[in-house]
Amino acid sequence: MTKRNSPVRNTQQRRHAIMQLLQDKGEVSVEQLVQLFDTSEVTIRKDLTALEINGFLVRRYGGAILMPKDFIDESQDENLSKRKMSIAKAAAERIKDHHRIIIDSGSTTAALIKQLNSKQGLVVMTNSLSVASELRSLENEPTLLMTGGTWDTRSESFQGKVAEQVLRSYDFDQLFIGADGIDLERGTTTFNELVGLSQVMAEVSREVIVMVESQKIGRKMPNLELNWAQIDVLVTDDLLSDKDKAVIERHHVEVIIAK
């Protein structure tokens, strides 16, 4: 007799599928989702509410739209920007002159760049054109390496096998990487299924440093990016609760609180 998936698993799969549909179409209707998943309006509305609470979509009458990128950027208030800068400053303190580092794409990791002017002889690899451009504007410009690869419009970065092969040609002292969400039990999570490059970045780096705002801690997403065993340090802001800090440290991860 074939076992059916548990209700929890079914819910996770359906919500993941809703997000994939939103990323493809930009918007969905409740009626469309009811027919697609052969379920009730009540269930779909619960799904949309849960996804909205986690900041992935915006509810509209009769359906939902994908959270616009410019809306996300505009909603980041001054306090959040300050927290990102404090995280970047704390992370940069771990970088020594002549270090070989990777800076992954993302707004939190990009904040690290302004902290690098005092560092001498850095070699920096990145998969982000915007990060590369900012690095070139530094007065104390580091040696810049690019992964190349296939351009992914969702993450606005290079991904794929070519990028992975380039990374494996080098070794690095540190990887600085962000996260869409932190699952306290599993590690960093994302809706993006392209996690292969992140895995390789971690493999070729002696120290893996995750930079993430505390509001993302506890936010679970379907795809595991890096598990706790692959992470050495997590840098976050001072809104992290003592309880969550203790859980992360139980995974043998050093937690740095940026003031």
Side-chain angles (χ1 to χ4, degrees):
M1 184 176 177
T2 303
K3 292 183 180 179
R4 294 190 176 187
N5 286 340
S6 70
V8 171
R9 180 166 174 77
N10 283 334
T11 298
Q12 290 174 339
Q13 289 176 331
R14 189 176 57 251
R15 290 176 182 175
H16 188 196
I18 289 171
M19 285 306 304
Q20 287 183 315
L21 189 62
L22 266 173
Q23 287 169 347
D24 291 338
K25 305 289 188 182
E27 62 180 318
V28 292
S29 70
V30 171
E31 182 180 358
Q32 174 190 12
L33 296 176
V34 167
Q35 292 178 355
L36 182 62
F37 297 108
D38 192 25
T39 189
S40 68
E41 280 194 22
V42 172
T43 298
I44 293 299
R45 292 186 191 281
K46 284 182 179 178
D47 289 339
L48 297 181
T49 298
L51 291 168
E52 183 178 50
I53 288 171
N54 282 290
F56 304 132
L57 55 79
V58 178
R59 295 289 303 277
R60 289 288 186 265
Y61 181 76
I65 62 170
L66 192 65
M67 181 72 80
K69 187 177 185 298
D70 57 349
F71 181 87
I72 295 170
D73 292 341
E74 288 171 8
S75 68
Q76 293 176 348
D77 59 23
E78 187 178 347
N79 289 331
L80 180 55
S81 296
K82 287 180 178 178
R83 288 199 293 274
K84 286 187 178 188
M85 291 309 300
S86 66
I87 290 168
K89 188 173 182 180
E93 290 177 0
R94 300 185 70 89
I95 302 173
K96 294 182 170 55
D97 289 347
H98 306 290
H99 261 192
R100 299 160 63 89
I101 68 175
I102 304 172
I103 301 179
D104 191 21
S105 60
S107 58
T108 306
T109 48
L112 184 66
I113 298 168
K114 297 183 187 302
Q115 308 298 322
L116 301 183
N117 247 334
S118 61
K119 310 294 181 180
Q120 302 290 328
L122 292 182
V123 176
V124 183
M125 171 76 83
T126 186
N127 61 332
S128 166
L129 289 176
S130 60
V131 168
S133 178
E134 287 195 50
L135 284 167
R136 292 193 61 210
S137 69
L138 290 178
E139 191 174 318
N140 210 0
E141 187 178 340
T143 299
L144 174 62
L145 303 173
M146 291 291 296
T147 63
T150 303
W151 182 254
D152 174 50
T153 54
R154 292 179 186 175
S155 63
E156 295 189 342
S157 63
F158 290 104
Q159 303 286 337
K161 295 299 182 184
V162 170
E164 292 171 18
Q165 289 170 2
V166 170
L167 275 166
R168 286 196 172 101
S169 302
Y170 299 87
D171 62 89
F172 296 90
D173 297 296
Q174 293 160 312
L175 162 63
F176 294 89
I177 188 169
D180 293 326
I182 298 287
D183 185 323
L184 289 168
E185 296 306 318
R186 296 192 298 161
T188 65
T189 59
T190 179
F191 263 113
N192 194 333
E193 294 181 345
L194 298 176
V195 297
L197 192 64
S198 299
Q199 295 282 334
V200 176
M201 285 178 173
E203 287 172 18
V204 300
S205 301
R206 282 188 280 277
E207 183 177 57
V208 176
I209 301 170
V210 174
M211 301 167 60
V212 63
E213 308 92 275
S214 59
Q215 65 180 19
K216 293 183 179 179
I217 294 174
R219 182 186 287 179
K220 300 180 181 180
M221 297 181 186
N223 299 310
L224 179 66
E225 192 163 22
L226 297 179
N227 63 51
W228 287 120
Q230 297 171 286
I231 299 167
D232 299 294
V233 181
L234 183 138
V235 186
T236 189
D237 56 65
D238 56 9
L239 297 182
L240 177 70
S241 69
D242 291 338
K243 180 181 177 181
D244 287 349
K245 181 174 183 286
V247 172
I248 295 169
E249 288 176 333
R250 282 203 292 272
H251 295 292
H252 307 291
V253 173
E254 179 184 354
V255 178
I256 295 176
I257 307 295
K259 302 298 182 183

